[in-house]
Amino acid sequence: MTDLLKNPIFKDETTAREWLEARVWPEGPTCPHCGNADQGKIRGLQGKAHRPGLYQCAECREQFTVTVKTVFERSKIPLTKWLAALFLMTASKKGVSAHQVHRMLGISYKSTWFMMHRLREAMRSGGLEPLGGRGKVVEADETYFGRADDMHVSKQRHGRPYTKRGHIFNNRPILALVERGGQVRSFHVAVADQSTVCNIVRENVERETHVHTDESKLYVQGLMDVRRHRKVKHTAGEYVRGDVTTNTVENYFSVFKRGMRGVYQHCSEKHLHRYLAEFDFRYNNRAALGTNDLMRAETLATGIVGKRLTYRRPHQA
Ligand SMILES: [Zn+2]
């Protein structure tokens, strides 16, 4: 992995900026303020009076650089370090810890931590096409990871906490949908109940899809509004029946849990969705789908646009 960092884009600030510009603006600079992409109406500002990489838009008169309105915005960290962190995160199969990146890049742990969360935000995919379709299978399953920060109370139990086999059960539920041979989409939900789970399936899975689950009562065909719903009975020791199985989604969960335990020991609940975004990103850009390390890094570089962290940061990265 140290070999990876020998590329000049990790050493020279101008080379780093040009690499990023070519990814974010394949057709030439675009004004992030008004959307103007007319190259005749965008001018590079050169000379000592301007910071490098500054452009002026003739349409709205605003100035911009490639990092304006991206997750890199207003960062004091050099672009060479940002790109190094981006490549490290996308090249490692199981994820990489903030401690490791901090040591490799020689920037503070705190700055590294914020950089990595911003990059996870760039990995988040939103507003995508639904999964599945005619003749396709989507496996749905839920799991639990870590303790929730707030006690969840049950309406049926008149405001008392949920219990499972007599113990208070307050873990963080995660729902994942995996299209077989395709993409995953996972969700950290407040409570995994029937309406939450079925709504997510309905909103993210194409109607003509066959959905496979275990025998859980959470999944109801009518509420999910899908063509077919088939179940395997795990309680009866059944894991595969014909092509009915939830092995793909369960494998996804086991990769997630192993990674979280090995690399990210501490994860507060409010950041769980960002770690999920990172594991989703890695799965959706996996080698089996024809993606290599460079393509994965390039995909992430294009994902920095139009996203910002919404939680308050005590320090600027
Ligand atoms: Zn403009």
Side-chain angles (χ1 to χ4, degrees), residues 3 5 7 20 38 49 59 67 93 99 111 138 144 158 183 187 202 206 220 222 227 233 239 253 256 270 277 283 317:
D3 258 15
L5 299 181
N7 191 309
L20 190 63
D38 181 345
E59 203 60 57
T67 60
K93 280 208 177 70
H99 273 292
S111 295
V138 168
Y144 295 85
H158 309 287
Q183 308 259 306
F187 307 83
R202 202 175 54 239
E206 220 270 331
V220 179
R227 184 170 188 90
K233 292 199 179 68
Y239 289 88
F253 282 143
F256 173 74
K270 68 175 175 179
Y283 187 87

Side-chain angles (χ1 to χ4, degrees), residues 155-167:
K155 263 186 219 150
Q156 289 93 329
R157 290 175 42 81
H158 309 287
R160 282 175 297 155
Y162 282 92
T163 56
K164 204 170 191 177
R165 294 187 205 99
H167 298 285

Side-chain angles (χ1 to χ4, degrees), residues 140-161:
D141 197 11
E142 76 289 347
T143 192
Y144 295 85
F145 184 81
R147 290 254 164 200
D149 294 345
D150 298 313
M151 187 60 75
H152 294 144
V153 294
S154 161
K155 263 186 219 150
Q156 289 93 329
R157 290 175 42 81
H158 309 287
R160 282 175 297 155

Side-chain angles (χ1 to χ4, degrees), residues 20 32-33 51 63-77 79 82 118 304 306-309 313 316-317:
L20 190 63
H33 304 289
R51 56 197 160 114
Q63 297 182 345
F64 60 91
T65 66
V66 69
T67 60
V68 169
K69 298 199 178 179
T70 73
V71 296
F72 294 3
E73 188 166 21
R74 289 198 198 97
S75 169
K76 295 185 185 79
I77 306 282
L79 275 181
W82 271 108
R118 291 198 199 186
I304 68 168
K307 288 177 188 149
R308 284 193 243 179
L309 288 192
R313 301 185 301 273
Q316 288 284 327

Side-chain angles (χ1 to χ4, degrees), residues 115-132:
M115 272 173 98
M116 290 177 74
H117 264 319
R118 291 198 199 186
L119 286 165
R120 284 185 190 104
E121 186 65 13
M123 291 178 186
R124 199 168 49 81
S125 47
L128 291 167
E129 298 281 295
L131 299 169

Side-chain angles (χ1 to χ4, degrees), residues 31 34 57 60:
C31 173
C34 72
C57 172
C60 70

Side-chain angles (χ1 to χ4, degrees), residues 31-305:
C31 173
H33 304 289
C34 72
N36 170 35
D38 181 345
Q39 297 306 301
K41 290 180 176 171
I42 291 171
R43 181 166 70 91
L45 298 173
Q46 267 118 28
K48 283 189 182 138
H50 305 293
R51 56 197 160 114
L54 191 67
Y55 294 85
Q56 170 118 41
C57 172
E59 203 60 57
C60 70
R61 319 288 308 154
E62 295 283 342
Q63 297 182 345
F64 60 91
T65 66
V66 69
T67 60
V68 169
K69 298 199 178 179
T70 73
V71 296
F72 294 3
E73 188 166 21
R74 289 198 198 97
S75 169
K76 295 185 185 79
I77 306 282
L79 275 181
T80 48
K81 304 280 184 190
W82 271 108
L83 296 190
L86 185 153
F87 272 75
L88 288 171
M89 282 179 84
T90 49
S92 68
K93 280 208 177 70
K94 294 175 183 162
V96 54
S97 74
H99 273 292
Q100 199 179 342
V101 175
H102 144 71
R103 283 193 301 266
M104 290 178 82
L105 301 189
I107 49 177
S108 78
Y109 175 75
K110 203 153 230 167
S111 295
T112 309
W113 191 90
F114 283 113
M115 272 173 98
M116 290 177 74
H117 264 319
R118 291 198 199 186
L119 286 165
R120 284 185 190 104
E121 186 65 13
M123 291 178 186
R124 199 168 49 81
S125 47
L128 291 167
E129 298 281 295
L131 299 169
R134 186 178 288 273
K136 293 194 172 144
V137 174
V138 168
E139 298 178 18
D141 197 11
E142 76 289 347
T143 192
Y144 295 85
F145 184 81
R147 290 254 164 200
D149 294 345
D150 298 313
M151 187 60 75
H152 294 144
V153 294
S154 161
K155 263 186 219 150
Q156 289 93 329
R157 290 175 42 81
H158 309 287
R160 282 175 297 155
Y162 282 92
T163 56
K164 204 170 191 177
R165 294 187 205 99
H167 298 285
I168 290 179
F169 186 75
N170 198 43
N171 291 359
R172 308 164 184 169
I174 296 167
L175 172 72
L177 312 171
V178 185
E179 182 181 311
R180 218 173 273 166
Q183 308 259 306
V184 66
R185 213 169 286 177
S186 64
F187 307 83
H188 169 36
V189 293
V191 177
D193 57 15
Q194 199 174 70
S195 72
T196 307
V197 164
C198 290
N199 281 342
I200 290 176
V201 175
R202 202 175 54 239
E203 285 163 12
N204 288 278
V205 174
E206 220 270 331
R207 251 191 144 137
E208 291 296 313
T209 310
H210 289 199
V211 171
H212 294 182
T213 68
D214 59 19
E215 68 273 59
S216 161
K217 291 195 175 74
L218 295 173
Y219 305 91
V220 179
Q221 184 171 5
L223 298 176
M224 295 190 291
D225 192 22
V226 291
R227 184 170 188 90
R228 194 148 190 209
H229 176 209
R230 308 192 65 190
K231 301 177 181 188
V232 275
K233 292 199 179 68
H234 287 175
T235 46
E238 178 188 68
Y239 289 88
V240 182
R241 191 183 65 253
D243 79 324
V244 186
T245 176
T246 56
N247 286 347
T248 319
V249 64
E250 281 164 42
N251 283 339
Y252 174 79
F253 282 143
S254 75
V255 169
F256 173 74
K257 288 181 176 180
R258 251 179 301 161
M260 291 300 283
R261 289 198 189 109
V263 180
Y264 311 109
Q265 285 95 347
H266 308 288
C267 158
S268 74
E269 188 171 17
K270 68 175 175 179
H271 299 307
L272 180 58
H273 71 285
R274 285 197 227 307
Y275 288 104
L276 286 170
E278 181 181 345
F279 282 84
D280 282 9
F281 178 88
R282 212 172 281 130
Y283 187 87
N284 293 338
N285 294 281
R286 63 192 184 273
L289 295 178
T291 311
N292 62 31
D293 284 356
L294 179 62
M295 288 156 76
R296 210 172 292 126
E298 290 182 326
T299 302
L300 179 53
T302 61
I304 68 168
V305 180

